[in-house]
Amino acid sequence: MKNIRTVSRQEYDAEVEDKIQKLTKYAYITQGDLAEIIGCCSATVKTELNKLGVESNCFGWPTTKVINVLGLQPYLDNLIKLRKSCRA
């Protein structure tokens, strides 16, 4: 069983904000950032995106295409709702 680590509200808010920024700020997303957001290893990210036909370039993968292909829009919407509720 994994150890469960408690985090402060500020640390949690920063993590949510970081994920939102990585999914919305830049046109391309890196393999490492995507692995961190999804919660899997980098090799798995690369393998799955290659299987789904999403091609990378020197900048990474097109963020919009990755969000659409992996179905991350509901996840992103939930992160934004969570951010709004934490700031209220």
Side-chain angles (χ1 to χ4, degrees):
M1 186 171 156
K2 292 183 180 181
N3 291 333
I4 297 174
R5 182 177 72 91
T6 58
V7 295
S8 67
R9 182 180 177 130
Q10 291 83 12
E11 190 178 0
Y12 186 73
D13 290 350
E15 183 180 331
V16 169
E17 186 64 30
D18 185 50
K19 288 181 179 184
I20 291 171
Q21 289 293 321
K22 287 176 181 174
L23 285 170
T24 59
K25 191 171 184 179
Y26 299 109
Y28 291 92
I29 190 163
T30 65
Q31 186 172 337
D33 286 345
L34 192 53
E36 186 180 315
I37 291 166
I38 296 172
C40 65
C41 75
S42 291
T44 303
V45 167
K46 185 174 183 176
T47 302
E48 290 304 312
L49 287 176
N50 286 339
K51 282 183 192 175
L52 295 169
V54 182
E55 295 184 24
S56 66
N57 62 22
C58 61
F59 302 111
W61 284 277
T63 305
T64 311
K65 189 167 186 177
V66 168
I67 289 171
N68 291 334
V69 169
L70 295 180
L72 294 177
Q73 190 60 50
Y75 178 72
L76 181 58
D77 293 343
N78 286 337
L79 286 174
I80 292 169
K81 286 178 192 172
L82 183 60
R83 175 175 67 180
K84 287 179 182 177
S85 71
C86 288
R87 291 185 178 174

